[in-house]
Amino acid sequence: MATGLALFASFLPATSFACITSAPFVVEDMREADAVFSGRVTSYEIVVSESEFGRPIDHGIITVAVDDVFRGELPASVPLYWGNSTFALPDELMVTEPSLFAAVNADSPGLPLRAPSATIFPNARPDLLQLMQAPCSGSFVLPYASAYRSEVEALLRGEPSSYLDDQGTYAEGVDLEWTQIAAIRRSESPRAVWNGVLWLLVLLAVLAIMLAWRGWRRRGKPA
């Protein structure tokens, strides 16, 4: 059975079987971030590329228009690499406007391992900030409003904060506007490019055969 499951998993995108169980989300992990900021998602893309083992692997690029920066130095618009170590990249993001983001540099140490099934895949875009996410846990795209500012600042200073309670809920009495952002899918896979070229060659070969057959029939007709 184990061999069969491994064989079955080998035919699926790498991010689909990253976890078997979920790990708890710990908001205090935000203190390990290299960048913490609020902003609005302006685009969300899913990029399919080729892994070193020949299997397709996908990652997300979330572009954020930055509002307030709590930690780090950021431009007005920042793209975030998202490998998503849970079950798969979603086709749509449900986020608040604005949201709170935490990100790490590509060379930052990993977050605590809290699930026995956690898998971390190589970073396909080490040139970008990576959206913070402990293996098999939730990502740091959190509901945010200006009323949470002092709570976030206290959290980053290492002080107690009620930004999230024990049940993972947020401060009450704040109206949040939710929006749904569909992903744009695109492929950067060498295999996908080669497949396109191969199909073009096949089409040209079929056209050449048809033209040759038509010419042969014309030459075979009596004058």
Side-chain angles (χ1 to χ4, degrees):
M1 182 179 292
T3 303
L5 287 173
L7 181 62
F8 175 67
S10 68
F11 289 98
L12 297 174
T15 50
S16 298
F17 267 68
C19 296
I20 299 175
T21 60
S22 297
F25 179 84
V26 180
V27 71
E28 284 78 12
D29 283 346
M30 189 190 302
R31 295 168 181 161
E32 305 300 321
D34 296 308
V36 179
F37 58 98
S38 66
R40 293 167 172 80
V41 177
T42 57
S43 69
Y44 168 43
E45 297 178 87
I46 296 178
V47 182
V48 182
S49 57
E50 195 94 351
S51 73
E52 58 181 326
F53 304 106
R55 286 193 300 156
I57 184 170
D58 52 3
H59 64 272
I61 301 293
I62 302 173
T63 303
V64 182
V66 178
D67 291 334
D68 293 327
V69 178
F70 296 93
R71 177 180 293 175
E73 296 182 3
L74 298 170
S77 178
V78 58
L80 300 176
Y81 168 83
W82 186 27
N84 192 21
S85 63
T86 55
F87 300 97
L89 288 168
D91 289 331
E92 295 182 328
L93 289 179
M94 179 67 80
V95 296
T96 60
E97 296 286 5
S99 298
L100 184 72
F101 301 86
V104 294
N105 297 321
D107 57 354
S108 294
L111 291 173
L113 190 67
R114 298 193 180 97
S117 57
T119 303
I120 302 175
F121 295 100
N123 189 338
R125 291 296 305 272
D127 56 313
L128 301 180
L129 279 172
Q130 180 172 340
L131 183 64
M132 198 171 190
Q133 183 176 22
C136 294
S137 185
S139 59
F140 273 83
V141 181
L142 307 176
Y144 179 76
S146 58
Y148 299 151
R149 183 188 307 274
S150 60
E151 297 289 341
V152 174
E153 291 173 341
L155 183 66
L156 293 178
R157 289 195 300 266
E159 301 172 4
S161 173
S162 59
Y163 180 55
L164 278 178
D165 62 22
D166 293 337
Q167 285 73 43
T169 57
Y170 297 83
E172 297 179 358
V174 176
D175 292 328
L176 297 171
E177 178 185 351
W178 291 82
T179 185
Q180 200 163 7
I181 301 170
I184 301 171
R185 288 187 173 270
R186 59 190 177 92
S187 176
E188 293 182 348
S189 170
R191 178 182 295 175
V193 174
W194 169 245
N195 286 343
V197 173
L198 183 61
W199 277 110
L200 179 60
L201 292 175
V202 170
L203 179 60
L204 291 175
V206 170
L207 289 175
I209 292 172
M210 292 177 64
L211 291 174
W213 179 74
R214 186 176 179 181
W216 175 79
R217 287 194 61 186
R218 285 181 176 178
R219 287 194 300 270
K221 289 181 179 181

